[in-house]
Amino acid sequence: MSLPNDFPSSVRLGPGQGGLPRLEIDSPLARAEIYLHGAHVVSYAKTGEKPLLFLSEKSYFQGGQPIRGGVPLIFPWFGPRQDGADVPAHGFARRSAWAAESVREEDDGTVQVVLRLKPDPMTSALFNDSWVARYRVTVGNELTMELEVTNTGSAPFRYEEALHTYFSVSDVREIAITGLEGTEYLSAIEEVPRKRQNGKPIRFEHELDRVYLNTEATCVIEDPGFERRIIVEKQGSQSTVVWNPWIDKARQMADFGDDEWMRMVCVESGNARDNTKEIIPGERQTLCVTLRSEAL
Ligand code: TA6
């Protein structure tokens, strides 16, 4: 694991849960934790505010297993791979050990961490060996995450990606998500999978698992219980996934508490299904997400 030698005073590298290497950021602006395992942002809280992200109390913290919560990094396929192959859901990036390429503190107090993942025999067997991924995480009054994929090979290839963000909410039954009104979606659980969102905000009365397509919209999670709204801005993303497992699915997940479905919602920014990306040799493509919250 190649690590930079010097860290800013607001950044510490050490063993986190499960002994996994963790970068802890504690600056005047915000606190955050980033695990090298999966390049996984596990927590973020702007100074003086509630944590923005949800983390399951039952999450695994072990090699090869994804962390349940925070911002799982999905690459190079979303969910079950579209060719039906028997491979881990959501690709290998969130299960891989990333290398910390640089850690620096900007003049305004924000901290930027750059992590990198390259092919190895396991990933090349599952996908191809013609790519490198870099992930820039900027921690300050906002949380910005940029996933950059470069085609280092001599042929184009297709991939899916998403920042599968778990947000901490007061009660999923009380929140509303705006920004996707009138947008077409693919549902993983509804009989008629391809539908269009009506003109109203998304509310939750059951399990909901939808890939909204061809949308660059900013989404807002209105949370009266926490007296805040969370703003999810994105660039380089045509898909927004919205998911809550609800009661039955929560019970089926060993790394998720039976009642945790009430306190989380996933609003994920990426490129999936109809919005699968194609990248030509030498091309570099970036998915960028910026998260912030405001008092209601
Ligand atoms: O983001 C929605 C989704 O694809 C759901 O179908 C659900 O499977 C969720 O991801 C979590 O997937 P995981 O593999 O992390 O259990």
Side-chain angles (χ1 to χ4, degrees):
M1 176 172 52
S2 67
L3 285 179
N5 300 324
D6 55 333
F7 284 81
S9 58
S10 55
V11 182
R12 230 160 21 111
L13 173 71
Q17 297 193 55
L20 295 175
R22 170 184 61 182
L23 288 166
E24 280 184 289
I25 296 165
D26 186 355
S27 83
L29 300 178
R31 300 186 68 178
E33 295 170 286
I34 306 171
Y35 279 71
L36 301 191
H37 174 64
H40 203 124
V41 178
V42 162
S43 68
Y44 166 78
K46 180 181 170 184
T47 300
E49 295 193 358
K50 289 185 178 64
L52 200 63
L53 307 178
F54 164 88
L55 176 69
S56 172
E57 288 162 10
K58 298 199 158 189
S59 175
Y60 302 127
F61 280 88
Q62 60 193 62
Q65 287 285 1
I67 294 167
R68 177 71 67 188
V71 186
L73 199 160
I74 309 301
F75 173 81
W77 61 84
F78 183 87
R81 208 165 73 180
Q82 294 186 69
D83 62 1
D86 180 16
V87 291
H90 288 322
F92 46 71
R94 65 176 181 165
R95 298 166 184 266
S96 298
W98 288 59
E101 201 167 64
S102 68
V103 179
R104 69 166 194 261
E105 188 161 355
E106 310 291 347
D107 295 343
D108 64 357
T110 59
V111 172
Q112 185 181 85
V113 175
V114 180
L115 302 150
R116 186 199 65 236
L117 185 67
K118 288 182 174 176
D120 65 28
M122 182 274 284
T123 61
S124 300
L126 288 172
F127 188 57
N128 69 49
D129 61 0
S130 306
W131 56 273
V132 65
R134 274 190 178 76
Y135 190 44
R136 285 182 189 80
V137 180
T138 305
V139 175
N141 289 322
E142 302 171 334
L143 174 64
T144 297
M145 299 167 285
E146 298 172 88
L147 175 61
E148 176 194 278
V149 176
T150 302
N151 182 337
T152 57
S154 55
F157 62 81
R158 292 164 60 82
Y159 67 96
E160 295 175 295
E161 60 186 349
L163 300 185
H164 191 301
T165 311
Y166 286 71
F167 292 97
S168 172
V169 298
S170 59
D171 184 336
V172 73
R173 296 166 295 189
E174 304 300 326
I175 67 170
I177 298 174
T178 61
L180 295 168
E181 292 82 356
T183 304
E184 185 181 25
Y185 66 81
L186 283 174
S187 171
I189 53 174
E190 294 164 62
E191 261 190 47
V192 177
R194 194 177 282 268
K195 287 185 178 169
R196 189 168 294 279
Q197 180 67 29
N198 60 27
K200 295 179 184 157
I202 298 167
R203 290 186 180 279
F204 296 82
E205 298 169 343
H206 49 69
E207 180 184 0
L208 191 145
D209 188 349
R210 299 173 180 171
V211 179
Y212 286 84
L213 299 164
N214 309 315
T215 171
E216 297 177 359
T218 293
C219 289
V220 178
I221 303 168
E222 301 281 347
D223 185 348
F226 278 171
E227 297 178 328
R228 73 175 177 190
R229 60 170 63 90
I230 298 174
I231 297 98
V232 184
E233 280 179 353
K234 62 176 193 173
Q235 288 87 32
S237 160
Q238 291 292 319
S239 315
T240 295
V241 183
V242 178
W243 176 58
N244 183 277
W246 213 250
I247 302 164
D248 295 345
K249 189 63 71 62
R251 285 205 184 109
Q252 293 165 24
M253 296 191 288
D255 59 342
F256 191 84
D258 287 355
D259 64 353
E260 288 186 321
W261 59 273
M262 280 183 263
R263 295 190 282 112
M264 55 68 68
V265 68
C266 283
V267 178
E268 311 156 35
S269 310
N271 292 290
R273 302 299 182 261
D274 301 22
N275 300 133
T276 297
K277 302 282 288 185
E278 168 134 328
I279 186 169
I280 61 174
E283 188 180 4
R284 180 172 299 170
Q285 294 179 350
T286 302
L287 159 65
C288 179
V289 176
T290 297
L291 308 178
R292 69 180 194 281
S293 60
E294 292 172 354
L296 273 185

